[in-house]
Amino acid sequence: METTMQKYFHWGAIGSLVTLIVWCVLWEMVLAPLKPGGSWLVLKAAPLLLPLYGVWKRDIYTLQWTSMMILLYFTEGVVRGWSDIGSLSSWLGWGEAAVVCVYFVCAVLYLRPYKRAAKKMARELLDKVKVNTVK
């Protein structure tokens, strides 16, 4: 049973993932491409399409691994925000890093109750094993 906050975090994760996909495509095709007319760097948005269905369906495993994978996009955003010469491209890099932070926080906070439940079950199982082996 999901709480209201978990629903908000789930929708926040979906929204920020879709925003990041659109952000990457617009950045590399329209707003500030490396080459005029767009660049092949737009393909960086393709890996973000893979977990979209799993995030939509609330798949715990997908949310776990994407919370780590998304940090690559955070790194790219910070590096390009810091080093790009064009002011628009620099701002887009910092914006990408901000959207990634939103996804990361939403995914981790959505997964928090599941992680607690898993730890509790593991602790109970270990206690049960200890009781059975001590006898």
Side-chain angles (χ1 to χ4, degrees), residues 54-107:
V55 172
W56 180 269
K57 291 293 184 180
R58 296 177 174 91
D59 183 39
I60 304 299
Y61 183 70
T62 303
L63 281 155
Q64 286 175 335
W65 69 262
T66 55
S67 67
M68 294 296 108
M69 178 200 72
I70 205 88
L71 297 177
L72 295 170
Y73 292 86
F74 175 78
T75 304
E76 189 234 357
V78 170
V79 167
R80 290 192 63 186
W82 191 268
S83 65
D84 275 3
I85 297 168
S87 62
L88 178 61
S89 184
S90 177
W91 281 106
L92 288 169
W94 290 117
E96 179 183 29
V99 172
V100 168
C101 287
V102 170
Y103 178 83
F104 184 80
V105 168
C106 286

